């Protein structure tokens, strides 16, 4: 089954070649010409040497001019082949492979990113398409070299079958040794690839968390972790290279012995008039081609193993079983009203009950707060509303339509979620806000930022909306990032806006600024605010209290303080914290 999948994956790569058909035709023609030049060059060179030793300068000069023309044509041919490969074949194949990989990564269920590291995806996206491209280049080069070398071997048999047999024995000896060595090398190659992937994950995470690492004074421990990982990887790479060097040295010794045997046999044949000096020179100059037969074969075989590994890693990303994809319905709504309903909603994550029998109904433009202790299921509920995780049919409805029947755009364009630490790209403020749509205008950006209470701050900056924000929006405070995220949601024209613990890490002044921004949009949007602080949601026209995955209270702030002991307890704990 595994072998069948590997074959299928290898074949799938071939469909990407259709985008570079003309380039492939040109490459094949140039490689055929390269084979011809490879066969001709030793023959012409041998004739030059023969005519020089025979004191025939005119003929030696003529063959020298022929060799010059052959060399020039060969270099022009190689240049054309290289340019077409890089600018035609490689560019198109690599681009289309990466586009499909990115498309599939974006279509994966969120659970995939919970269970796999970012380094794993980055490594595959960055290196595997490049490996495929390099492997195909090496294979095509080795394949045509192999054809050239086989033609040369046939020609040597034509000149003298005895030396042809000697070369064949040498080829068999080298082949058997390299076959044995290849299996050992294969294991080390797989090991180093796994270690490099692990290193990539550690380094990515370190770069993302470098500020926290420095502030928490974790430099020594993180450095030790990185150094240990790099040492293990480096040792594996050294072991691989050492063994590769040993293989190379042994093969060279075998080659040297065979070359001496060819010379001895050749000299004996000349002595008894079974071979001419010119033909011995031609045969000896072809010695590299003989052992290249084995090298080309093992290279093709080795690269095909790497090709299969890279192809499998690429198409695993597109495999529904390995990385389940998001599924959406076919019903499309351009603009929703903002009505939300949950009917007996239950949800499990890794076989653990997270939500149990949740039911509620929100009307358009409702502002709803959700409170509860950590782990009560508040964030999970929001993730289900934006379909980051999946529920059965007839449990969540948007405008009376089952969420499982709606298209991705109908859900994601109309619902925005603002987290405690919304991600901001290392772009300017204007560029960040334009990411949400293709036709976003400057006036829309300014209007949204005014409503989100961040326009005045932006105008105070030297470069205003052209200010570069740094990786993750590091140049903004937590409250500013969240207000920018609100502006992003407004520009996106999301009818439903979800706040997931958006104020939990903010000071009171910043929290009040964010609350003003939220108050500016309450009349026109359906808003759900998941909060740790009750002060954030006390003005909501409806509040849900959650505990252990259930709704254990519902009402306004005043109603819950009178009727709900759990809410009253949360309220009293917060008052103690404030004091």
């Amino acid at each position: 089954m595994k072998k069948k999948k590997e074959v299928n994956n290898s074949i799938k790569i071939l469909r990407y070649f259709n985008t570079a058909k003309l380039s492939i035709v040109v490459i094949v023609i140039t490689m055929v010409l390269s084979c011809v030049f490879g066969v001709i060059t030793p023959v012409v060179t041998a004739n030059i040497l023969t005519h020089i030793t025979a004191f025939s300068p005119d003929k030696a000069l003529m063959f020298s001019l022929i060799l010059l023309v052959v060399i020039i044509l060969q270099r022009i041919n190689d240049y054309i082949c290289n340019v077409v490969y890089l600018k035609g074949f490689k560019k198109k194949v690599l681009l289309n492979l990466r586009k499909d990989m990115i498309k599939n990564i974006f279509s994966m269920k969120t659970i995939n990113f919970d269970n796999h590291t970012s380094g794993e995806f980055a490594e595959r996206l960055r290196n595997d398409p490049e490996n495929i491209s390099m492997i195909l280049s090496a294979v095509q080069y080795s394949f045509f070299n192999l054809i050239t070398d086989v033609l040369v071997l046939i020609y040597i048999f034509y000149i003298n079958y005895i030396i042809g047999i000697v070369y064949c024995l040498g080829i068999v000896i080298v082949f058997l040794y390299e076959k044995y060595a290849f299996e050992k090398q294969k294991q080390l190659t797989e090991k180093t690839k796994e270690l490099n992937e692990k290193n990539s994950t550690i380094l990515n995470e370190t770069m993302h968390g470098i500020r926290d690492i420095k502030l928490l004074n974790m430099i020594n421990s993180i450095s030790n972790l990185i150094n240990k990982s790099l040492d293990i990887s480096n040792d594996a790479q050294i072991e691989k290279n050492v063994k590769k060097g040993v293989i190379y040295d042994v093969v060279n010794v075998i080659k040297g012995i065979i070359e001496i045997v060819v010379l001895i046999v050749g000299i004996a044949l000349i002595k008894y008039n079974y071979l001419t000096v010119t033909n011995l020179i031609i045969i000896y100059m072809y010695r590299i081609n003989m052992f290249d037969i084995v090298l080309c074969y093992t290279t093709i075989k080795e690269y095909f193993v790497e090709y299969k590994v890279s192809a499998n890693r690429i198409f695993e990303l597109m495999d529904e079983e390995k990385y389940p994809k998001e599924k959406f319905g076919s019903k499309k709504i351009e603009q929703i009203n903002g009505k939300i309903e949950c009917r007996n909603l239950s949800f499990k994550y890794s076989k653990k009950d997270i939500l149990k029998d949740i039911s509620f109904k929100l009307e358009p433009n409702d502002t709803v707060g959700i409170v509860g202790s950590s782990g009560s299921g508040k964030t999970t509920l929001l993730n289900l509303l934006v379909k980051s995780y999946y529920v059965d049919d007839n449990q969540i409805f948007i405008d009376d339509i089952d969420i499982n029947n709606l298209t991705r755009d109908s859900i994601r364009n109309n619902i925005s979620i603002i987290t405690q630490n919304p991600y901001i790209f290392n772009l300017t403020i204007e560029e960040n806000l334009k990411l949400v749509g293709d036709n976003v205008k400057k006036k829309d950006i300014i209007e949204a930022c005014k409503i989100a209470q961040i326009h005045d701050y932006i105008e105070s900056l030297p470069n205003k909306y052209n200010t570069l924000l740094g990786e993750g929006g590091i140049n903004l405070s937590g409250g500013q990032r969240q207000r920018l995220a609100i502006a992003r949601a407004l520009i996106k024209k999301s009818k439903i806006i979800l706040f997931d613990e958006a104020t939990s890490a903010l000071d009171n002044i910043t929290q009040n600024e964010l609350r003003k921004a939220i108050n500016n949009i309450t009349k026109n949007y359906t808003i759900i605010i998941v909060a740790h602080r009750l002060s954030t949601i006390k003005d909501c026209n409806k509040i849900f209290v959650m505990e252990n995955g259930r709704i254990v209270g519902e009402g306004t702030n005043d109603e819950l303080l009178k009727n709900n002991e759990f809410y009253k307890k949360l309220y009293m704990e917060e008052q103690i914290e404030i004091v």
Side-chain angles (χ1 to χ4, degrees), residues 158-173:
Y158 172 74
I159 294 173
N160 189 279
Y161 72 93
I162 296 174
I163 294 181
I165 291 171
V166 173
Y167 270 132
C168 282
L169 288 172
I171 289 168
V172 170
I173 293 169

Side-chain angles (χ1 to χ4, degrees), residues 83-121:
V83 169
V84 171
Y85 167 72
L86 291 174
K87 291 190 175 182
F89 177 80
K90 183 177 179 179
K91 181 180 177 182
K92 289 179 180 177
V93 171
L94 224 61
L95 185 67
N96 287 303
L97 264 175
R98 284 204 173 108
K99 278 182 178 178
D100 282 356
M101 289 175 74
I102 290 169
K103 181 181 176 182
N104 276 273
I105 288 172
F106 279 132
S107 70
M108 287 177 186
K109 288 183 177 179
T110 303
I111 196 170
N112 291 300
F113 304 101
D114 298 338
N115 299 333
H116 299 274
T117 63
S118 59
E120 181 180 332
F121 294 112

Side-chain angles (χ1 to χ4, degrees), residues 261-515:
V261 172
V262 167
L263 281 176
I264 292 170
V265 172
I267 291 167
L269 291 171
I270 290 171
K271 182 178 178 180
Y272 294 103
N273 296 319
Y274 288 109
L275 189 68
T276 65
V277 173
T278 301
N279 284 340
L280 179 58
I281 293 172
I282 292 172
I283 289 170
Y284 189 73
M285 291 188 72
Y286 276 135
R287 70 193 184 282
I288 296 173
N289 295 78
M290 292 303 92
F291 297 111
D292 269 356
I293 290 177
V294 178
L295 178 63
C296 290
Y297 172 78
T298 53
T299 298
I300 291 170
K301 185 179 177 182
E302 184 177 344
Y303 274 126
F304 263 120
V305 171
E306 290 194 27
Y307 172 86
K308 282 194 289 186
V309 169
S310 291
N312 289 344
R313 284 161 57 85
I314 287 171
F315 287 107
E316 265 186 352
L317 295 178
M318 306 176 193
D319 186 350
E320 188 71 34
E321 293 180 14
K322 178 75 174 178
Y323 296 101
K325 302 297 186 292
E326 292 181 313
K327 288 184 174 65
F328 294 91
S330 57
K331 190 169 185 60
K332 185 175 183 179
I333 305 176
E334 293 295 338
Q335 185 68 48
I336 65 174
N337 294 318
K339 184 179 179 181
I340 302 173
E341 183 179 359
C342 287
R343 298 178 188 169
N344 309 114
L345 170 62
S346 296
F347 178 72
K348 289 184 178 182
Y349 188 89
S350 298
K351 298 182 180 180
K352 180 183 177 182
D353 288 322
I354 305 297
L355 298 177
K356 307 163 194 172
D357 197 27
I358 301 287
S359 295
F360 62 81
K361 186 182 291 185
L362 306 183
E363 296 300 326
N365 305 331
D366 269 352
T367 300
V368 178
I370 302 178
V371 294
S373 55
S374 296
S376 59
K378 306 184 298 296
T379 296
T380 300
L381 178 58
L382 298 193
N383 283 324
L384 292 172
L385 291 177
V386 293
K387 213 173 176 184
S388 288
Y389 300 115
Y390 286 77
V391 291
D392 294 332
D393 294 340
N394 300 313
Q395 287 194 303
I396 299 177
F397 296 83
I398 304 293
D399 287 358
D400 298 319
I401 301 169
D402 188 332
I403 195 172
N404 290 326
N405 294 332
L406 292 171
T407 64
R408 181 182 64 183
D409 288 349
S410 297
I411 297 168
R412 302 277 167 82
N413 284 345
N414 287 293
I415 306 177
S416 287
I417 185 165
I418 297 169
T419 62
Q420 182 178 336
N421 189 23
Y423 194 82
I424 307 296
F425 291 89
N426 187 19
L427 302 168
T428 67
I429 294 172
E430 185 174 343
E431 286 170 338
N432 263 283
L433 294 174
K434 281 186 174 180
L435 288 174
V436 298
D438 296 328
N439 300 309
V440 176
K441 296 176 181 176
K442 184 68 174 282
K443 66 175 184 178
D444 298 326
I445 290 173
I446 293 172
E447 183 182 350
C449 287
K450 284 179 178 178
I451 296 171
Q453 297 284 299
I454 196 171
H455 173 72
D456 291 341
Y457 169 74
I458 294 171
E459 285 295 307
S460 71
L461 298 171
N463 294 321
K464 303 185 186 319
Y465 282 87
N466 289 320
T467 300
L468 194 65
L469 295 180
E471 187 175 352
I474 191 64
N475 295 329
L476 297 175
S477 69
Q480 288 162 351
R481 282 199 295 273
Q482 280 155 353
R483 279 178 279 159
L484 197 66
I486 292 174
R488 197 159 56 185
L490 296 177
I491 294 167
K492 187 178 153 189
K493 293 182 170 55
S494 302
K495 184 61 180 176
I496 299 172
I497 301 179
L498 314 175
F499 291 88
D500 184 13
E501 299 281 12
T503 64
S504 60
L506 304 181
D507 58 66
N508 289 332
I509 295 174
T510 307
Q511 182 181 322
N512 288 333
E513 290 174 346
L514 184 60
R515 193 183 301 145

Side-chain angles (χ1 to χ4, degrees), residues 36-46 67 70-71 74 285-286:
V36 173
F37 294 136
V39 173
I40 290 174
T41 301
V43 176
V44 177
T45 304
L67 182 61
V70 169
I71 291 172
Q74 188 171 10
M285 291 188 72
Y286 276 135

Side-chain angles (χ1 to χ4, degrees), residues 56-327:
S56 302
D58 292 339
K59 289 186 177 180
L61 180 61
M62 181 188 71
F63 279 104
S64 296
L65 292 173
I66 292 172
L67 182 61
L68 177 63
V69 172
V70 169
I71 291 172
I72 291 171
L73 291 174
Q74 188 171 10
R75 294 297 168 262
I76 293 171
N77 184 70
D78 291 344
Y79 173 78
I80 293 170
C81 182
N82 189 51
V83 169
V84 171
Y85 167 72
L86 291 174
K87 291 190 175 182
F89 177 80
K90 183 177 179 179
K91 181 180 177 182
K92 289 179 180 177
V93 171
L94 224 61
L95 185 67
N96 287 303
L97 264 175
R98 284 204 173 108
K99 278 182 178 178
D100 282 356
M101 289 175 74
I102 290 169
K103 181 181 176 182
N104 276 273
I105 288 172
F106 279 132
S107 70
M108 287 177 186
K109 288 183 177 179
T110 303
I111 196 170
N112 291 300
F113 304 101
D114 298 338
N115 299 333
H116 299 274
T117 63
S118 59
E120 181 180 332
F121 294 112
E123 188 76 10
R124 293 189 186 208
L125 187 58
R126 184 167 49 240
N127 291 337
D128 287 317
E130 188 72 40
N131 286 346
I132 289 289
S133 177
M134 289 173 62
I135 288 164
L136 292 171
S137 173
V139 167
Q140 73 177 12
Y141 180 79
S142 298
F143 176 73
F144 282 103
N145 275 357
L146 182 62
I147 293 174
T148 304
D149 298 336
V150 170
L151 291 174
V152 168
L153 180 60
I154 293 169
Y155 183 56
I156 287 173
F157 265 97
Y158 172 74
I159 294 173
N160 189 279
Y161 72 93
I162 296 174
I163 294 181
I165 291 171
V166 173
Y167 270 132
C168 282
L169 288 172
I171 289 168
V172 170
I173 293 169
V174 172
F175 171 75
L176 292 174
Y177 173 73
E178 288 199 347
K179 183 181 180 182
Y180 162 78
F182 173 75
E183 293 301 322
K184 300 292 182 184
Q185 196 71 9
K186 177 186 171 184
Q187 297 171 8
L188 289 172
T189 299
E190 291 174 352
K191 182 181 177 182
T192 52
K193 189 176 270 290
E194 288 175 6
L195 290 170
N196 286 337
E197 193 171 273
K198 184 179 178 181
N199 282 340
S200 180
T201 297
I202 293 172
L203 291 172
N204 280 343
E205 291 177 351
T206 301
M207 291 302 102
H208 286 142
I210 195 163
R211 292 175 181 84
D212 289 335
I213 290 168
K214 292 171 73 174
L215 292 173
L216 293 170
N217 200 24
M218 296 163 58
I219 294 172
N220 289 337
S221 57
I222 296 297
S223 295
N224 290 337
L225 178 67
I226 293 172
N227 291 337
K228 183 179 179 181
S229 179
L230 290 175
D231 284 342
I232 294 171
S233 176
N234 192 47
D235 289 344
Q237 189 67 45
I238 289 171
E239 183 185 2
K240 176 186 171 184
N241 291 337
V242 167
K243 290 192 175 181
K244 195 171 184 178
V246 170
I247 295 169
Y248 180 78
D249 291 337
V250 172
V251 168
N252 278 339
V253 169
I254 297 172
K255 286 180 182 179
I257 293 170
I258 299 299
E259 287 172 9
I260 296 300
V261 172
V262 167
L263 281 176
I264 292 170
V265 172
I267 291 167
L269 291 171
I270 290 171
K271 182 178 178 180
Y272 294 103
N273 296 319
Y274 288 109
L275 189 68
T276 65
V277 173
T278 301
N279 284 340
L280 179 58
I281 293 172
I282 292 172
I283 289 170
Y284 189 73
M285 291 188 72
Y286 276 135
R287 70 193 184 282
I288 296 173
N289 295 78
M290 292 303 92
F291 297 111
D292 269 356
I293 290 177
V294 178
L295 178 63
C296 290
Y297 172 78
T298 53
T299 298
I300 291 170
K301 185 179 177 182
E302 184 177 344
Y303 274 126
F304 263 120
V305 171
E306 290 194 27
Y307 172 86
K308 282 194 289 186
V309 169
S310 291
N312 289 344
R313 284 161 57 85
I314 287 171
F315 287 107
E316 265 186 352
L317 295 178
M318 306 176 193
D319 186 350
E320 188 71 34
E321 293 180 14
K322 178 75 174 178
Y323 296 101
K325 302 297 186 292
E326 292 181 313
K327 288 184 174 65

